[in-house]
Amino acid sequence: MRGRPWSWIIGRPRLTDALVVGFSFLVGGLSLLGTFSRHSVIAALLLIVLVESVALLWRRSHPVSVLLVVAASVLTAFLLNTDREPSGPALVFAVYAVSVYDRSRVRFWVAGAAIGIIVLAVGLLFLGDFQITRNLIPAGATSLVAWVIGDYIRSRRRFFAELVSRHENEREQAAEDERLRIARELHDVVAHNVSVMAIQAGAARVSGSSGSEALESIEQGARDTLAELNKLLGVLRKSGGRPDLAPQPSLGDLENLLRPAREAGLAATVKVMGEVRSLPPALDLSAYRIVQEAITNVLKHASASRVEVQIDYGPDALQLTVSDNGSGPGQTASNGHGLIGMRERVELFGGDLTTGSSSLGGFTVRATLPVKS
């Protein structure tokens, strides 16, 4: 057995219930030792103690019913022998159970009843009725103390339950955010590289040429895609070793991004406006991925021959504009994962993403990412 004995006991409800029943019956039975009554009365009182003690087995599931049984038993025992105080451990456990486990307003009525008994006893004390006061004070006081302790335990359990629930929600949200992040990375990397390879292969097929340059470019694209996939899988793989990490791409790598598109026959240009400055790594990566996905959509859906990328370093925001002269992405691209991923990336930074017609005659994607100074 590890840990404190008390923690070990309360972690076993069945054992706790048995101890409560045994303690209540033992104390109730011992209280009859000094009773001067007929044997039949003592036997009846012992039976009442047994009933109210056994009833405590159901105090968790039916706390109000158990309290009624115990209260009736205490009252019956008092009527059989008025020399005994109408209180005992069974009543204390029953009131405690109502305070902890009951979900209705009855628990507040029980607290009010305990306070009412104490007030009545104090009032009778001022009237000089010491006998009734002596009988009522123990029952009211112990019941009120049991209720207050139960209310504290109830509040404590609720606090820890809410704490655990909040932590579970945070863990689930973190897992969901990570899943979406990985999905975006997989889509951006794989879709872009595969789209470039498909365009290059299609161009080689249409031209009837199988030149080494086209094959070499397709081969390099496939290798780059596999390398990126291996990096992501290395992060996901649950192993003792550390995955191979490499610097994330940034806007400074746009020329490397556009090179395969140019080799596929797309006239791609980059225009930089404003004062170029370093950006937060997360924002820099997201900006790169947004441009990458916009070019992927051009390759896959626009049937374009020209694309312009404009990067504007504003004083408080970074604006990215990708325009083409194609026929537009159509409904397929607009409702696909590409624009959804771009919107998610923009929303992470509280930015804005708009799409529309391009001055080149095709489609334009414009993303604005706020930059904190």
Side-chain angles (χ1 to χ4, degrees):
M1 180 176 65
R2 296 182 300 175
R4 295 174 298 177
W6 180 249
S7 300
W8 182 82
I9 292 174
I10 63 176
R12 291 161 173 77
R14 301 274 184 173
L15 177 60
T16 304
D17 293 341
L19 292 175
V20 167
V21 171
F23 178 80
S24 177
F25 182 73
L26 179 62
V27 174
L30 292 177
S31 67
L32 299 177
L33 293 179
T35 302
F36 299 97
S37 301
R38 297 188 305 271
H39 292 294
S40 58
V41 174
I42 294 177
L45 292 175
L46 188 61
L47 178 62
I48 290 174
V49 171
L50 178 62
V51 170
E52 64 185 19
S53 299
V54 174
L56 295 174
L57 287 172
W58 291 274
R59 74 189 193 284
R60 300 176 190 268
S61 57
H62 302 84
V64 176
S65 299
V66 170
L67 178 59
L68 292 176
V69 171
V70 171
S73 301
V74 170
L75 182 60
T76 303
F78 178 71
L79 294 177
L80 290 176
N81 185 0
T82 56
D83 293 334
R84 300 181 72 248
E85 296 176 355
S87 62
L91 182 62
V92 173
F93 285 126
V95 173
Y96 171 85
V98 170
S99 180
V100 174
Y101 302 115
D102 186 58
R103 298 181 180 179
S104 66
R105 300 182 64 85
V106 175
R107 59 187 300 269
F108 297 107
W109 298 347
V110 171
I115 295 174
I117 291 174
I118 295 175
V119 172
L120 177 61
V122 173
L124 292 175
L125 179 63
F126 282 110
L127 296 176
D129 197 337
F130 298 102
Q131 181 61 31
I132 297 180
T133 299
R134 186 180 69 83
N135 290 330
L136 292 180
I137 282 291
T142 55
S143 296
L144 183 59
V145 170
W147 191 94
V148 171
I149 294 175
D151 186 64
Y152 167 75
I153 296 298
R154 179 192 184 96
S155 300
R156 192 166 179 265
R157 289 179 177 177
R158 179 181 297 176
F159 170 76
F160 280 111
E162 292 176 352
L163 188 64
V164 170
S165 177
R166 184 164 64 249
H167 285 175
E168 288 293 330
N169 292 336
E170 290 175 355
R171 290 178 58 186
E172 291 177 1
Q173 185 61 44
E176 178 67 14
D177 292 342
E178 185 65 10
R179 185 187 66 81
L180 291 176
R181 186 191 70 81
I182 293 172
R184 285 194 299 266
E185 290 295 315
L186 282 172
H187 178 271
D188 291 346
V189 172
V190 176
H192 177 78
N193 290 343
V194 173
S195 296
V196 171
M197 288 188 291
I199 295 296
Q200 291 172 335
R205 178 181 56 81
V206 171
S207 64
S209 171
S210 58
S212 60
E213 292 184 0
L215 294 177
E216 182 180 353
S217 179
I218 294 173
E219 178 186 5
Q220 185 60 43
R223 293 184 183 277
D224 292 341
T225 303
L226 289 175
E228 292 290 343
L229 285 176
N230 285 332
K231 292 177 185 177
L232 289 174
L233 293 176
V235 174
L236 294 176
R237 188 178 298 114
K238 296 180 179 179
S239 61
R242 295 173 58 88
D244 293 332
L245 301 179
Q248 293 286 0
S250 64
L251 290 178
D253 301 314
L254 281 185
E255 288 299 327
N256 294 332
L257 174 66
L258 295 177
R259 184 181 300 112
R262 290 166 177 162
E263 293 174 354
L266 190 66
T269 59
V270 179
K271 182 179 181 181
V272 180
M273 303 173 61
E275 182 180 354
V276 179
R277 61 185 185 276
S278 61
L279 300 171
L283 188 143
D284 205 0
L285 173 62
S286 292
Y288 176 90
R289 293 303 189 197
I290 291 171
V291 175
Q292 182 183 49
E293 180 55 38
I295 294 176
T296 300
N297 284 344
V298 173
L299 292 172
K300 291 172 60 178
H301 305 290
S303 300
S305 60
R306 180 184 175 192
V307 61
E308 290 184 357
V309 179
Q310 180 176 298
I311 305 173
D312 186 0
Y313 288 88
D316 55 0
L318 176 71
Q319 189 172 81
L320 308 170
T321 305
V322 181
S323 306
D324 65 72
N325 65 344
S327 58
Q331 289 294 331
T332 302
S334 298
N335 297 330
H337 296 289
L339 284 179
I340 293 176
M342 284 190 282
R343 291 189 188 279
E344 289 176 348
R345 290 186 182 278
V346 170
E347 289 172 358
L348 286 175
F349 300 93
D352 182 58
L353 181 73
T354 59
T355 58
S357 300
S358 166
S359 59
L360 300 178
F363 193 71
T364 293
V365 174
R366 182 174 289 105
T368 303
L369 301 174
V371 180
K372 297 181 180 180
S373 56

